[in-house]
Amino acid sequence: MIILGIGANLPNPDFGSPRANCGAALQKLENLNVRIEFRSSWYQSQPIPLAPQQPWYVNGVVAVSTSLAPLALMECLLQVELEIGRRRT
């Protein structure tokens, strides 16, 4: 079993709120041969370091199973991040 942390703090024009982004990411994973076995509740956490202009995060944890090899799973996760709108700088 593989444990993944899921989180967002910015809205997306295509998916909506940070919570909706997280849900869209889970759906995209399931469409890519990653089965969600268990999912925690969603919870909010403050950004560290706390910045007044930065929104709080929505976070959760999922246990998944997949036939993908570790590197292929990582590539899949990075692709989902891109599709949801995450831009690494």
Side-chain angles (χ1 to χ4, degrees), residues 8-9 43-52 54-59:
N9 75 328
Y43 63 95
Q44 288 191 315
S45 62
Q46 69 183 26
I48 306 283
L50 185 59
Q54 188 172 357
W56 281 41
Y57 285 85
V58 172
N59 297 289

Side-chain angles (χ1 to χ4, degrees), residues 2-74:
I2 302 158
I3 307 298
L4 302 174
I6 306 290
N9 75 328
L10 299 175
N12 178 295
D14 295 325
F15 303 105
S17 70
R19 164 58 190 88
N21 289 343
C22 293
L26 294 180
Q27 183 61 52
K28 286 181 176 292
L29 286 173
E30 288 192 316
N31 293 340
L32 295 170
N33 197 30
V34 178
R35 181 177 171 170
I36 309 297
E37 301 285 350
F38 302 101
R39 183 180 66 79
S40 72
S41 299
W42 298 110
Y43 63 95
Q44 288 191 315
S45 62
Q46 69 183 26
I48 306 283
L50 185 59
Q53 70 279 8
Q54 188 172 357
W56 281 41
Y57 285 85
V58 172
N59 297 289
V61 176
V62 293
V64 302
S65 59
T66 184
S67 60
L68 296 171
L71 185 55
L73 175 59
M74 188 67 200

Side-chain angles (χ1 to χ4, degrees), residues 72-83 86 88:
L73 175 59
M74 188 67 200
E75 290 171 356
C76 175
L77 295 171
L78 293 172
Q79 181 61 40
V80 168
E81 281 187 341
L82 281 173
E83 291 176 12
R86 180 164 187 197
R88 293 179 182 265

